[in-house]
């Protein structure tokens, strides 16, 4: 465990020194937005679990435990409804089978000190040992300040789980075999900056450029940590509906194609059927505290008193503060 902790601490301090030399200031957390540091998790469910059991356990048992890890500024779960294979792009000479995922998690932090909760807290240890109950694989990618960007949004994080009218997608990208990571990131940023103009119906756009993957960074027992395809970025989109999403992304080849002479990138796109804001602005949300079934029951009954700060603090103590 000490070796793993040392890896995380070294990794994030290297990121800080690289992205904030001299007098450069690390961005601060802003209410309604994700923090400057992030960890992205790509998750695959155990084959013997039904989709319903997997998503319920991840949200209402595993996810509720994860909200107790200190230091989270935001934590969102994306329950994926499968891949849009019409938008898949695979290198011509890539013979690997495509490894699908069922879950995508986006956790953000305000500082390197806050990241230590994920590195070495008792709650994080409990989470690692709980993963084997539902996950066949979990791949965690670190994202440094400046590489985690919400470029466009029409609603704060807390509203994402309430508004199901939008059509949300998660795109995963791997750079071309002959492409440098710097060239990949420059190309991706250029494409994203022009996307609101070429896709005027776009409602939300968030990008995470990943740091190099390390399979030993998150040693959850009984779970695979070695992906078939190492990814280099994720993009979150929201459109009004499926039709406008396909119209935009079907004609945007710059995500999957890089400079002339460089191998085509790998591109996978998933439908985010449900999104849950488990931690918002450093505080655990009602879903993160109670779980969705209990919250929906309270809403159906009209028991508004159960949602007051006094009741939440009486039941959940410091976690509700």
């Amino acid at each position: 465990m000490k070796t793993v902790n040392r890896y995380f601490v070294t990794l994030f301090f290297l990121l800080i020194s690289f992205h904030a030399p001299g007098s450069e200031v690390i961005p601060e957390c802003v209410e309604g937005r994700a923090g400057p540091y992030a960890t992205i998790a790509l998750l695959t469910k155990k084959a013997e679990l039904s989709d319903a059991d997997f998503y319920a356990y991840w949200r209402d048992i595993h996810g509720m435990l994860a909200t107790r890890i200190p230091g989270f500024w935001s934590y969102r779960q994306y329950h994926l409804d499968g891949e849009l294979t019409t938008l898949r792009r695979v290198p011509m000479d890539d013979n690997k089978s495509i490894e699908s995922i069922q879950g995508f998690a986006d956790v953000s932090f305000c500082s390197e000190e806050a990241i230590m909760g994920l590195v070495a807290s008792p709650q994080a240890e409990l989470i690692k040992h709980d993963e084997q109950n539902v996950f066949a694989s979990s791949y965690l990618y670190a994202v440094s300040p400046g590489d985690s960007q919400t470029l466009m949004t029409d609603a704060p994080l807390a509203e994402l789980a309430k508004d199901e009218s939008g059509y949300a997608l998660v795109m995963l990208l791997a750079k071309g075999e002959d492409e440098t990571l710097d060239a990949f990131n420059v190309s991706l940023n250029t494409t994203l900056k022009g996307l609101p103009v070429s896709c005027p119906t776009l409602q939300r756009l968030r990008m995470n450029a990943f740091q190099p993957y390390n399979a030993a960074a998150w040693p959850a027992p009984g779970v695979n940590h070695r992906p078939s395809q190492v990814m280099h970025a994720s993009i979150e989109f929201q459109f009004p509906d499926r039709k406008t999403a396909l119209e935009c992304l079907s004609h945007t080849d710059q995500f999957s194609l890089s400079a002339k002479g460089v191998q085509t990138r790998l591109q996978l796109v998933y439908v985010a059927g449900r999104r849950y804001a488990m931690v918002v602005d450093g505080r655990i949300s009602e879903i993160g505290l109670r779980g969705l079934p209990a919250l929906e029951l309270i809403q159906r009954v009209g028991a508004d008193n159960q949602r007051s700060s006094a009741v939440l603090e009486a039941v959940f103590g410091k976690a509700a503060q």
Side-chain angles (χ1 to χ4, degrees), residues 167-182:
Y167 186 72
L169 299 171
V170 172
M171 178 184 288
L172 300 177
L173 292 165
K175 70 179 184 66
E177 184 177 335
D178 302 323
E179 186 176 21
T180 67
L181 192 56
D182 285 345

Side-chain angles (χ1 to χ4, degrees), residues 1 5 115-125 128:
M1 184 61 198
N5 290 350
I115 297 166
M116 290 304 298
L118 185 64
V119 176
S121 68
Q123 296 92 327
E125 285 302 299
K128 289 174 186 174

Side-chain angles (χ1 to χ4, degrees), residues 52-64 130 133-134:
D53 284 348
F54 168 71
Y55 289 124
Y57 191 98
W58 179 29
R59 181 192 60 224
D60 300 322
I61 299 176
H62 185 85
M64 287 174 63
D130 187 61
N133 291 324
V134 285

Side-chain angles (χ1 to χ4, degrees), residues 14-296:
L14 283 174
L15 296 179
I16 295 162
S17 63
F18 179 77
H19 285 274
S23 60
E24 186 178 346
V25 178
I26 298 296
E28 296 180 353
C29 282
V30 177
E31 288 189 4
R33 300 274 181 154
Y37 301 86
T39 295
I40 300 299
L42 310 182
L43 306 167
T44 302
K45 76 178 184 69
K46 293 177 69 172
E48 61 268 30
L49 292 179
S50 67
D51 287 352
D53 284 348
F54 168 71
Y55 289 124
Y57 191 98
W58 179 29
R59 181 192 60 224
D60 300 322
I61 299 176
H62 185 85
M64 287 174 63
L65 179 58
T67 64
R68 273 63 175 181
I69 296 175
F72 284 15
W73 175 252
S74 67
Y75 168 32
R76 288 173 295 150
Q77 290 187 358
Y78 298 71
H79 295 199
L80 306 179
D81 282 349
E83 184 191 352
L84 276 179
T85 55
T86 55
L87 298 178
R88 178 189 289 185
R89 304 287 185 272
V90 181
M92 292 293 292
D93 58 350
D94 191 339
N95 296 319
K96 297 178 183 178
S97 59
I98 299 299
E99 183 178 15
S100 295
I101 63 171
Q102 287 76 50
F104 176 91
D106 186 333
V107 180
S108 75
F109 311 85
C110 296
S111 66
E112 69 271 19
E113 290 85 4
I115 297 166
M116 290 304 298
L118 185 64
V119 176
S121 68
Q123 296 92 327
E125 285 302 299
L126 294 174
I127 278 293
K128 289 174 186 174
H129 286 272
D130 187 61
E131 283 199 354
Q132 59 195 315
N133 291 324
V134 285
F135 301 139
S137 61
S138 62
Y139 312 133
L140 270 64
Y141 292 86
V143 183
S144 62
D147 292 335
S148 177
Q149 304 177 55
T150 302
L151 302 168
M152 184 178 183
T153 182
D154 65 348
L157 291 175
E159 299 299 318
L160 288 179
K162 298 178 183 177
D163 181 10
E164 298 299 334
S165 60
Y167 186 72
L169 299 171
V170 172
M171 178 184 288
L172 300 177
L173 292 165
K175 70 179 184 66
E177 184 177 335
D178 302 323
E179 186 176 21
T180 67
L181 192 56
D182 285 345
F184 169 81
N185 288 332
V186 169
S187 175
L188 183 59
N189 274 285
T190 300
T191 299
L192 290 174
K193 287 179 180 177
L195 200 60
V197 176
S198 59
C199 297
T201 59
L202 187 61
Q203 297 173 327
R204 180 173 171 83
L205 179 61
R206 174 165 165 77
M207 182 272 288
N208 287 291
F210 301 157
Q211 291 296 309
Y213 181 73
N214 186 301
W218 185 252
V223 180
N224 174 47
H225 303 299
R226 297 189 178 278
S228 297
Q229 307 93 22
V230 172
M231 294 296 177
H232 297 98
S234 67
I235 307 172
E236 177 195 347
F237 304 94
Q238 181 175 306
F239 294 89
D241 50 50
R242 177 186 174 96
K243 180 176 181 292
T244 54
L246 292 175
E247 286 175 349
C248 170
L249 298 180
S250 295
H251 297 92
T252 307
D253 292 332
Q254 288 303 310
F255 290 122
S256 56
L257 301 175
S258 56
K260 184 177 180 181
V262 177
Q263 184 189 44
T264 303
R265 300 165 182 161
L266 175 65
Q267 171 183 302
L268 306 175
V269 181
Y270 295 91
V271 179
R274 300 283 290 182
R275 293 166 291 170
Y276 298 99
M278 307 291 287
V279 176
V280 179
D281 298 343
R283 296 189 62 182
I284 305 174
S285 68
E286 286 188 85
I287 292 176
L289 283 170
R290 293 186 181 273
L292 187 62
L295 180 57
E296 289 181 333

